[in-house]
Amino acid sequence: MNRQIRLLGMILAVMLFALLINLSVQQVLLANSTKARAGNSRTLLEEYSRERGPILVQAAQVAKSVPTDDSLKYLRVYSDGPLYAPATGFYSMVYGATGIERAENSVLNGTGPEFFVDRLGQLFGGQQVRGGTVTLTLNPAAQEAAADGLGSSVGSVTAIDPRTGAILAMAQSPSFDPNILSSHDPKTITAYYEALESDPNQPLLNRPLVSTPPPGSTFKLVTSAAALAAGITPETPLPGPATYPLPGSTASIPNWFPGACGPNDTVTLQQALAESCNTAFAYLGNELGNDALRTQADAFGFNTSFEVPLVAATSRYPDGLDASQTAQSAVGQFNVTASTLQMALVGAAIGNAGVTMNPYLVADKRSADLQVLATTKPTEHARAMSQANATALLGMMETVVNQGTGSNAQIPGVRVAGKTGTAETGGTRPNVAWFVAVAPVENPQVAVAVAVENAGSSEVSGNALAAPIARQVIEAVLQ
């Protein structure tokens, strides 16, 4: 009997020890991650007892907290909610926080380490603890132009200041109203969220950062950059037949228009970009090789997951491709994928004398009394091109707008550089119409990428659908 009692005691002791270890792990090692979990509404409910700081675009409060008469002391309110939703996200008692509301939560709720002195002053002064302010880099005119341009089309727009990497516009369609998700009515919140989740057009998807369809012919900018780095000039002649037979395959790549490019099936690199000649770029891809294309893509930001501080999906240029796959990748197909953030970075690097800057969405963070706590300083990601090659490619892109497929991006009195594209997505899904633009050419101040995901089948649809949106955004930035 004593032996059995001792055995039972040992078992209970082991179980107690295991319980203590589990509690220690949960409350010490995992405490911060559990507290920060998006679905942890208990933490959010605690935060409703104090005023959450605003999110600003320039001087306008696009998100703020207002006092209420119900059990929750503050309500989160969003002016122009759907317009800024891709950036702000929402702050929900049911579903947690997303977007900047989540990424900068410790600033907005005033619990970050940079607020320690501020909190002490507020507590000893008998004041209510208040959150800090986050100012975004967005340009309100550009954001509105991007959203208006998209209209009811499914797609996204991202605009960047080439000199710094600051995100000037980050718009999508369809969007959602964060005011409903941030209300104090759980039933309304749940019903709206479930409706958004069941929508096939995925309004909750942060398209500028997360949607990564094939970039189509806009990727020819990357291929052109690799060609220039290899010593090919804008005037170098290239073969431009009506079709390019894929090595090791019975298939071939045709041009988007019937026939060959240029006289005698020959076209210069500059003309090939202006006409968006598929066969010339497929040939060029095999001449350069997959390693050169991947190295060039990486320098523009492909295969990197940027945090702006929202985490962007990684745009992909694959490795280990055979000659057939390399030819397809050189024209932005096969398994090449890109967000509008990524393609805006490509245009921005070309406009920034060949230097890719790290993108960012937060301009500064301030305390409750508006003292600056942190200011984002521009940083370089990589040198993608030499300054001379970047200038040459920018000139080639200007030819696309003035004499080639990008005519709808022309702005009187402004020199605009651009590139059209239409990406095939396979099956019965519609093509994606693309446009990448940089302006003004002599002193680039904005790079913009547009992807309309429910486009038609014509290569020119990038000019018809996406280029006018890019033009509107450029005009808004330069006004």
Side-chain angles (χ1 to χ4, degrees):
M1 177 66 72
N2 290 337
R3 180 184 177 188
Q4 292 174 331
I5 292 174
R6 284 197 301 271
L7 180 61
L8 179 61
M10 290 176 62
I11 293 173
L12 291 175
V14 170
M15 292 176 65
L16 179 61
F17 183 68
L19 178 62
L20 290 174
I21 290 177
N22 183 60
L23 288 173
S24 298
V25 169
Q26 290 293 331
Q27 297 193 17
V28 178
L29 298 179
L30 301 180
N32 289 336
S33 62
T34 300
K35 187 176 181 181
R37 192 175 299 160
N40 190 354
S41 59
R42 185 175 179 180
T43 300
L44 290 176
L45 289 173
E46 274 182 28
E47 295 175 359
Y48 278 101
S49 65
R50 57 182 176 269
E51 184 177 359
R52 189 174 178 83
I55 301 173
L56 304 183
V57 171
Q58 292 184 353
Q61 295 185 352
V62 297
K64 64 179 179 180
S65 292
V66 298
T68 71
D69 294 326
D70 58 38
S71 58
L72 301 178
K73 293 182 65 175
Y74 290 96
L75 173 69
R76 201 63 169 163
V77 176
Y78 301 84
S79 60
D80 294 315
L83 176 64
Y84 291 106
T88 64
F90 59 78
Y91 180 77
S92 172
M93 61 184 294
V94 177
Y95 296 104
T98 64
I100 288 296
E101 292 281 24
R102 181 180 184 183
E104 298 295 348
N105 185 55
S106 66
V107 174
L108 294 169
N109 67 15
T111 63
E114 61 268 53
F115 287 87
F116 179 72
V117 175
D118 199 36
R119 286 197 302 273
L120 285 180
Q122 291 171 354
L123 288 172
F124 285 117
Q127 300 174 348
Q128 181 190 50
V129 175
R130 292 181 297 154
T133 296
V134 174
T135 304
L136 305 184
T137 58
L138 297 176
N139 178 313
Q143 185 76 3
E144 290 175 11
D148 290 344
L150 285 170
S152 60
S153 298
V154 177
S156 70
V157 179
T158 303
I160 293 175
D161 185 332
R163 303 160 295 187
T164 63
I167 297 174
L168 304 178
M170 200 174 100
Q172 70 180 55
S173 176
S175 187
F176 63 91
D177 189 352
N179 287 293
I180 301 175
L181 293 172
S182 302
S183 74
H184 291 176
D185 184 346
K187 289 184 178 180
T188 300
I189 295 170
T190 302
Y192 184 55
Y193 186 88
E194 291 178 351
L196 293 172
E197 281 277 88
S198 62
D199 188 330
N201 289 325
Q202 300 177 285
L204 289 174
L205 182 70
N206 193 318
R207 277 193 155 78
L209 304 183
V210 175
S211 181
T212 55
S217 290
T218 58
F219 190 79
K220 292 171 183 173
L221 295 174
V222 179
T223 306
S224 295
L228 293 170
I232 296 172
T233 71
E235 292 75 33
T236 298
L238 303 170
T243 60
Y244 176 79
L246 292 173
S249 170
T250 58
S252 61
I253 293 179
N255 289 314
W256 64 269
F257 51 85
C261 306
N264 302 317
D265 296 1
T266 302
V267 64
T268 66
L269 177 61
Q270 177 164 304
Q271 292 168 335
L273 192 70
E275 297 177 21
S276 201
C277 181
N278 290 336
T279 58
F281 276 95
Y283 162 84
L284 192 54
N286 281 150
E287 289 296 299
L288 296 168
N290 182 64
D291 290 346
L293 289 179
R294 182 179 169 88
T295 298
Q296 184 64 73
D298 286 351
F300 280 123
F302 280 81
N303 301 310
T304 296
S305 179
F306 292 99
E307 294 185 18
V308 299
L310 312 185
V311 179
T314 302
S315 297
R316 298 288 184 185
Y317 184 90
D319 58 4
L321 304 184
D322 60 27
S324 173
Q325 295 164 342
T326 299
Q328 296 173 69
S329 298
V331 297
Q333 292 290 166
F334 188 58
N335 288 335
V336 181
T337 63
S339 62
T340 51
L341 172 70
Q342 175 58 70
M343 294 314 299
L345 283 175
V346 172
I350 297 168
N352 189 41
V355 177
T356 308
M357 304 298 290
N358 286 310
Y360 63 95
L361 181 60
V362 173
D364 62 51
K365 307 171 192 179
R366 298 171 183 259
S367 64
D369 59 0
L370 299 183
Q371 295 296 312
V372 177
L373 301 172
T375 300
T376 303
K377 296 181 180 179
T379 57
E380 293 184 9
H381 170 70
R383 172 163 283 284
M385 307 178 68
S386 69
Q387 183 172 352
N389 285 348
T391 300
L393 184 50
L394 197 61
M396 290 165 58
M397 292 172 66
E398 187 175 14
T399 302
V400 172
V401 174
N402 292 340
Q403 302 173 29
T405 59
S407 59
N408 283 335
Q410 295 176 6
I411 301 173
V414 178
R415 296 172 62 192
V416 180
K419 181 67 191 83
T420 54
T422 297
E424 297 178 359
T425 55
T428 59
R429 292 175 297 176
N431 292 345
V432 180
W434 280 90
F435 196 79
V436 175
V438 183
V441 169
E442 67 276 14
N443 180 28
Q445 298 173 43
V446 58
V448 57
V450 179
V452 179
E453 298 182 26
N454 53 358
S457 59
S458 171
E459 176 79 17
V460 187
S461 64
N463 187 43
L465 299 178
I469 302 173
R471 183 186 67 233
Q472 289 178 220
V473 174
I474 292 170
E475 290 175 326
V477 173
L478 300 182
Q479 67 181 4

